[in-house]
Amino acid sequence: MEYTSLVDSSLDLNAYPLRLFDEAPKQEVKCNFFELGLGRKKSEKAETGALMEELNRVSAENKKLTEMLTVVCENYEALKSRLMNYTSKNSGTDQISTTSRKRKAESPTNHYNNGVIDGTNGNSESSLSDEESSKKPREEHIKATISRVCVRTEASDTSLLVKDGYQWRKYGQKVTRDNPCPRAYFKCSFAPSCPVKKKVSQILSFTYQSLKILDTPDEFLDLGLVLKLNDGC
DNA sequence: ATTCTTTGACCACTC
DNA sequence: AGAGTGGTCAAAGAA
């Protein structure tokens, strides 16, 4: 597992609180030794009890955090395996998107041109013919797989660029009917075969961005939609 | 030379 | 059938 090399599983999550207790009482004990003499043993017992109690509490917290880390690592591995599955499958379908670049030559079932819609065409329900797969279920599928996330920006930020840590290539811009501000269309530039797209729009005083990804040729995986809010909102 | 952005045109879809 | 709209392509230019 790669994450083991990135994440130190032997977390000393509560090392700092322990050190605090280690150092502070030592000074106090030293004082007691010189100033109080025989009262030292009694105070040491009390401190030991307090330390043991604190140690138990910290150990429980450490255990809880370790469990949380395990869950995060498991989720990471699951996502990683899904991505690997998709990229391996997609490499076999690249020819479809590269053979016909001009839309005039494209057939109605061209996977790349139809984008979102094709996510339902080549799925396990392929027993359905093209006529049987009506348009309305497709739209419902699309709506169900696009989510949105908000990101606040400065009011002066009128660009449609959203820094989300990923590499995007802008491939189009449109002015939509219900919005005077243009909408930008981005594709993931991480890999040529990457099907992830997003669109960013600015509506009145805020900007939103949608993300969608083909987890497999059969279905979509929501990544979230970013709502880029200006300060004025 | 390569990558990215811009932008007009094209196409599919809806009404 | 035709107009309007959204999504995409691809050439040209910029970085």
Side-chain angles (χ1 to χ4, degrees), chain A residues 2-22:
Chain A
E2 290 182 8
Y3 65 84
T4 54
S5 62
L6 300 174
V7 180
D8 184 6
S9 58
S10 61
L11 293 176
D12 188 15
L13 297 173
N14 296 288
Y16 188 61
L18 282 175
R19 289 191 191 107
L20 280 179
F21 277 87
D22 283 345

Side-chain angles (χ1 to χ4, degrees), chain A residues 86-101:
Chain A
Y86 170 71
T87 51
S88 61
K89 287 180 182 177
N90 194 51
S91 61
T93 60
D94 281 349
Q95 293 177 342
I96 297 173
S97 61
T98 55
T99 50
S100 58
R101 301 196 64 154

Side-chain angles (χ1 to χ4, degrees), chain A residues 147-152 162 207-211 223-229:
Chain A
S147 56
R148 299 178 176 184
V149 176
C150 300
V151 172
R152 183 172 292 277
V162 179
T207 303
Y208 74 83
Q209 141 186 55
S210 67
L211 281 169
L223 285 186
L225 168 81
V226 174
L227 264 171
K228 189 179 175 187
L229 299 175

